[in-house]
């Protein structure tokens, strides 16, 4: 039973302990007292006296080395410190359960001429409430069909907490010749999920496809077995492979400017040279830059200043082993691959391949990212 008894245990350090304890015992009930040495003691008091004891010890210049609660009182303190978390958790669960019966968004598919905002606004205006149990999908289909002449057929369904509207628009005479292009992939990738909205699928989940390959054909076969052209739409997720490359040659010739240059200039008027400054140029290799500009904008006569600048260059054989620059070239290839990723895109895998031959090393860094490759 002693284990279950509520008490607060203080380990203290200080001088003149006997006199202080004699005074303390007049104010509180000391359950036990243990002297470890002449400066350190352990006392136990009931929880109701804990605050008074703590104040007394501090006022009498005792150092409280530790304060521990025991028994039911310690459990109660733990509960008091965590009840806020428990209440928050209970409220979160209650809110989550309550909101599961609420419509949060409206998705519209299949509309081409009709604006999505026009359809969603109409549905919002005709919602009796946002509770899923009170939403009549058949009635909403009738309202949409009656209020939009452009709609030839429509289906309304509740998927999760969304109202999903699939529309087929009627074709006007000038649209009868509309030709839709198939939906094609912009990447080399592995398809991970497919949600067909309109059209005929040309691929399946788990299939590896190449850039330019058709994903969805722009037609459907109706209930009469007739082909009908439609705009292809689908939500297709895939693992996309993005690559960057760098190259290293173990020996190559590098041409560079030494920093030495000479200039020649001449002044001309109406195409005739009236002044010339020539230099003796001893460069065996050089780059030449030429430019012409007006000598003075405030003079009416069109004097022209023609300049030629010769930059000395040298060609040097560079030899460097691949091992010396391997990490640098891998990093260069990776940075090139990262340039093709989208903001906040998660990289699922990274891979490096190195091909070597005849002193040339080609490094390919491949990133695998999850990306939507279809279109709605």
């Amino acid at each position: 039973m002693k284990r279950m008894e509520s008490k607060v245990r203080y380990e203290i350090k200080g001088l003149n302990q006997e006199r202080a304890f004699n005074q303390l015992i007049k104010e509180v009930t000391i359950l036990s007292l243990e002297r470890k040495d002449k400066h350190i003691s352990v006392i136990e008091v009931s929880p109701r006296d804990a605050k008074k004891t703590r104040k007394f010890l501090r006022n009498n210049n005792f150092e409280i080395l530790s304060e521990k609660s025991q028994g039911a009182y310690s459990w109660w303190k733990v509960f008091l410190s965590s009840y806020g978390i428990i209440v928050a958790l209970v409220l979160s669960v209650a809110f989550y359960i309550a909101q599961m019966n609420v419509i949060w968004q409206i998705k519209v598919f299949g509309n081409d001429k009709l604006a999505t905002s026009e359809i969603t606004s109409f549905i919002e205006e005709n919602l009796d409430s946002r509770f899923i149990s009170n939403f009549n999908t058949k009635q909403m289909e009738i309202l949409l069909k009656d209020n939009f002449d452009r709609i030839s057929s429509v289906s309304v369904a509740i998927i999760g907490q969304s109202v999903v509207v699939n529309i087929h628009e009627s074709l006007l005479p000038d649209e009868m010749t509309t030709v839709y292009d198939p939906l094609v992939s912009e990447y080399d990738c592995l398809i991970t999920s497919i949600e067909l909205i309109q059209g005929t699928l040309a691929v399946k989940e788990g299939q590896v496809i190449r850039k330019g390959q058709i994903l969805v054909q722009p037609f459907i076969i109706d209930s009469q077995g007739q082909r009908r052209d439609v705009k292809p739409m689908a939500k297709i997720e895939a693992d996309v492979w993005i690559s960057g490359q760098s190259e290293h040659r173990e020996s190559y010739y590098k041409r560079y400017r030494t920093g030495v240059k000479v200039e020649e200039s001449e002044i001309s008027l109406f195409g005739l040279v009236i002044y010339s400054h020539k230099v003796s140029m001893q460069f065996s290799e050089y780059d030449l830059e030429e430019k012409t500009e007006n000598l003075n904008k405030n003079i009416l006569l069109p004097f022209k200043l023609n300049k030629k600048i010769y930059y000395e260059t040298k060609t040097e054989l560079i030899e460097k082993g691949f091992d010396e620059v391997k990490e640098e070239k891998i990093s260069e290839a990776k940075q090139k691959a990262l340039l093709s990723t989208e903001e906040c895109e998660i990289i699922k895998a990274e891979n490096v391949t190195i091909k070597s031959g005849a002193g040339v090393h080609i490094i390919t860094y491949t990133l695998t990212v999850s990306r939507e490759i279809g279109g709605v």
Side-chain angles (χ1 to χ4, degrees), residues 4 7 56 65 73 86 96 137 164 241 275 283 285 290:
M4 299 298 294
K7 54 188 176 182
F56 175 86
L65 301 177
Y73 179 65
I86 297 172
Y96 176 75
T137 56
V164 179
W241 301 305
Y275 170 79
F283 302 154
E285 295 181 44
E290 298 184 65

Side-chain angles (χ1 to χ4, degrees), residues 45-70:
V45 298
S46 63
R48 67 174 178 272
D49 292 330
K51 185 175 181 181
K52 188 182 294 185
T53 301
R54 189 185 311 111
K55 182 178 179 181
F56 175 86
L57 293 172
R58 288 174 177 169
N59 290 340
N60 286 272
N61 299 318
F62 282 97
E63 179 184 354
I64 300 175
L65 301 177
S66 67
E67 178 182 350
K68 295 182 181 178
S69 300
Q70 298 177 348

Side-chain angles (χ1 to χ4, degrees), residues 17-217:
Q17 294 187 10
E18 290 81 1
R19 184 174 60 185
F21 291 152
N22 289 333
Q23 185 179 349
L24 176 63
I25 202 169
K26 297 176 182 178
E27 300 181 24
V28 302
T29 302
I30 298 180
L31 302 178
S32 69
L33 173 61
E34 177 188 349
R35 295 293 298 272
K36 290 190 172 182
D37 57 40
K38 64 179 181 179
H39 296 306
I40 298 177
S41 300
V42 176
I43 63 172
E44 294 181 345
V45 298
S46 63
R48 67 174 178 272
D49 292 330
K51 185 175 181 181
K52 188 182 294 185
T53 301
R54 189 185 311 111
K55 182 178 179 181
F56 175 86
L57 293 172
R58 288 174 177 169
N59 290 340
N60 286 272
N61 299 318
F62 282 97
E63 179 184 354
I64 300 175
L65 301 177
S66 67
E67 178 182 350
K68 295 182 181 178
S69 300
Q70 298 177 348
Y73 179 65
S74 65
W75 302 341
W76 176 247
K77 287 185 67 176
V78 172
F79 174 77
L80 288 177
S81 65
S82 60
Y83 81 95
I85 298 174
I86 297 172
V87 171
L89 182 61
V90 171
L91 290 176
S92 298
V93 172
F95 175 76
Y96 176 75
I97 294 173
Q99 63 86 39
M100 287 182 66
N101 192 41
V102 176
I103 295 171
W104 287 110
Q105 61 180 335
I106 300 171
K107 298 180 180 180
V108 181
F109 301 109
N111 57 311
D112 185 26
K113 303 298 181 183
L114 286 172
T116 298
S117 58
E118 186 179 1
I119 298 168
T120 55
S121 296
F122 177 82
I123 295 175
E124 293 274 5
E125 292 169 3
N126 288 274
L127 277 176
D128 294 329
S129 75
R130 282 196 166 272
F131 288 106
I132 294 174
S133 56
N134 295 335
F135 186 81
N136 190 323
T137 56
K138 294 299 179 185
Q139 182 181 356
M140 186 57 68
E141 289 175 358
I142 294 171
L143 287 173
L144 288 169
K145 190 77 165 55
D146 291 343
N147 286 273
F148 293 90
D149 295 333
R150 187 91 196 184
I151 297 177
S152 65
S153 63
V154 60
S155 67
V156 179
I158 299 290
I159 299 179
Q161 291 174 275
S162 301
V163 175
V164 179
V165 182
N166 280 286
I167 290 174
H168 178 65
E169 297 178 348
S170 57
L171 296 176
L172 299 180
D174 60 340
E175 297 172 341
M176 295 298 186
T177 57
T178 301
V179 176
Y180 297 105
D181 293 324
L183 192 64
V184 300
S185 173
E186 298 179 5
Y187 314 98
D188 294 339
C189 57
L190 170 68
I191 295 178
T192 56
S193 69
I194 300 174
E195 181 185 339
L196 179 65
I197 297 177
Q198 192 168 266
T200 300
L201 277 176
V203 294
K204 59 185 179 181
E205 289 186 19
Q207 182 176 345
V208 175
I209 60 174
R210 296 300 179 189
K211 181 178 179 179
Q213 188 171 337
I214 293 176
L215 302 173
V216 182
Q217 297 285 5

